[in-house]
Amino acid sequence: MRIRFLLPLLLSSWPIVASQAQRSLPADTLHAPTAVLPGVYADPHIAAYGQTYYLYPTTDGTEGWMSTAFTCWSSPDLKTWKKEGVILDLPRDLTWAKARAWAPAIATKGGKYYYYYSADANIGVAVADKPTGPFKDPLGKPLIAKGAFQGQTIDPMVLVDDDGTAYLYWGQGQCHVVKLNADMVSFDPAAVVEFKPPGYNEGSFVFKRQGKYYLMWSEYDTRDPRYSVAYATATSPMGPFTKAEKNPVLKGKGVVKGAGHHSVLQVPGTDQWVMAYHRFRIPGGNGYNRETCLSPMRFDAQGNILPVDVFEVVKPTRIKRPASSVRP
């Protein structure tokens, strides 16, 4: 009789035991999620306009990173990406640079879209009426010429704050920030602030959440498997920024190497965040053959960024906006 009562008890406890055992198993670090873009693309900037997501990456695949053009990709749900074509071709569209098209970023203000990019180790800006371009050079020269400031003149990023003021960040080896003029294509060189957070190398990205400004950057060299992302916070977009105690927040693991040079996006109308970044291509990738990935990014109750899992897949997510607020 005791056996009869014992068997149901054992069976009823099985799901609990199995669940506990499953949680204790080591994570699979040998089978990474598929990259979101086909082929080799790096330094992705992610944005959302209207009800569409966009990715603006560097075209990879050449030693020395000798790409000559930029592309744009669009998606309704973060899962299915469509190539919108070439939006800026250096030999065709510029008079001052022909190659080394790197690390773009985009911002919008006043119904215009401003595309900031590296070209031959200068920083340029181009303007369009739509997020898919075509983008045109309004200056006929770099926005920031190489050698104008300390460090390498690459990796621009622009934050448009809640009051409409825009701030430009850039630099490899040294971080810089300056308030842009209202035209979005000029600034006062005397107002540039230079600083270097501990571990900073390149790829600065800034966003604002709940009144706090987050400055993020990549550490090590992009050809180094240890390439990773760290962050600091401030109460002003100009700093000073204090590096968080728990860093990095993005790094490779297992088969994933060289995870870095990222951007982040807040899904409109939510507190859901997504990080776009590159990793060495799988299999056989390196610092010249990288691929673009997406992972969820989360915060704890104190606003600290939690470690990003490079093996976690972003779920399909559509943007929900009132019809009256939707525009290209």
Side-chain angles (χ1 to χ4, degrees), residues 11-238:
L11 289 175
S12 66
S13 67
W14 167 248
I16 299 174
V17 174
S19 176
Q20 292 172 342
Q22 188 175 22
R23 287 199 298 269
S24 66
L25 290 174
D28 179 7
T29 61
L30 299 178
H31 301 88
T34 303
V36 296
L37 300 184
V40 283
Y41 293 94
D43 315 325
H45 184 107
I46 189 169
Y49 300 118
Q51 291 181 293
T52 304
Y53 300 99
Y54 297 91
L55 277 171
Y56 301 88
T58 297
T59 302
D60 220 13
T62 56
E63 189 166 346
W65 309 290
M66 297 303 293
S67 171
T68 61
F70 292 104
T71 59
C72 171
W73 301 71
S74 66
S75 173
D77 58 4
L78 294 173
K79 298 295 288 185
T80 304
W81 292 91
K82 172 188 175 185
K83 188 175 183 179
E84 297 288 351
V86 172
I87 58 172
L88 186 69
D89 182 279
L90 270 53
R92 180 192 67 197
D93 300 328
L94 302 185
T95 59
W96 49 270
K98 302 302 179 186
R100 295 196 288 174
W102 304 342
I106 194 166
T108 186
K109 186 177 179 180
K112 298 286 186 179
Y113 296 87
Y114 298 88
Y115 188 70
Y116 302 86
Y117 56 93
S118 310
D120 195 24
N122 304 270
I123 287 175
V125 60
V127 187
D129 294 324
K130 299 185 299 182
T132 53
F135 286 87
K136 301 297 182 182
D137 177 11
L139 301 178
K141 62 180 182 179
L143 173 61
I144 310 174
K146 66 177 73 173
F149 297 92
Q150 185 178 352
Q152 192 172 191
T153 309
I154 60 173
D155 298 355
M157 186 273 161
V158 169
L159 168 72
V160 180
D161 209 348
D162 300 334
D163 64 358
T165 305
Y167 299 86
L168 172 66
Y169 304 80
W170 79 91
Q172 189 271 334
Q174 185 84 2
C175 192
H176 308 75
V177 57
V178 69
K179 184 186 297 186
L180 285 172
N181 293 330
D183 62 8
M184 297 289 282
V185 299
S186 65
F187 62 89
D188 178 3
V192 172
V193 174
E194 296 184 337
F195 60 102
K196 186 174 182 178
Y200 178 91
N201 183 36
E202 62 187 10
S204 58
F205 189 89
V206 180
F207 67 93
K208 185 179 182 181
R209 179 181 182 268
Q210 297 181 0
K212 184 186 296 185
Y213 296 87
Y214 294 75
L215 167 70
M216 307 183 77
W217 65 84
S218 292
E219 302 189 338
Y220 299 101
D221 185 272
T222 190
R223 293 161 290 190
D224 191 324
R226 297 173 297 172
Y227 199 54
S228 51
V229 170
Y231 80 101
T233 59
T235 57
S236 164
M238 299 287 288

Side-chain angles (χ1 to χ4, degrees), residues 216 229 231 246 248-253 256 259 262-264 273-277 293-299 305-314:
M216 307 183 77
V229 170
Y231 80 101
K246 295 183 179 180
V249 291
L250 176 75
K251 62 179 181 179
K253 181 171 62 175
V256 175
H262 77 302
S263 59
V264 298
W273 295 75
V274 176
M275 180 182 284
Y277 58 95
C293 303
L294 300 179
S295 292
M297 189 180 82
R298 301 182 179 89
F299 302 81
I305 301 176
L306 297 173
V308 174
D309 184 357
V310 293
F311 289 86
E312 184 178 2
V313 175
V314 171

Side-chain angles (χ1 to χ4, degrees), residues 234-247:
T235 57
S236 164
M238 299 287 288
F241 288 92
T242 302
K243 188 173 183 180
E245 292 183 2
K246 295 183 179 180
N247 270 304

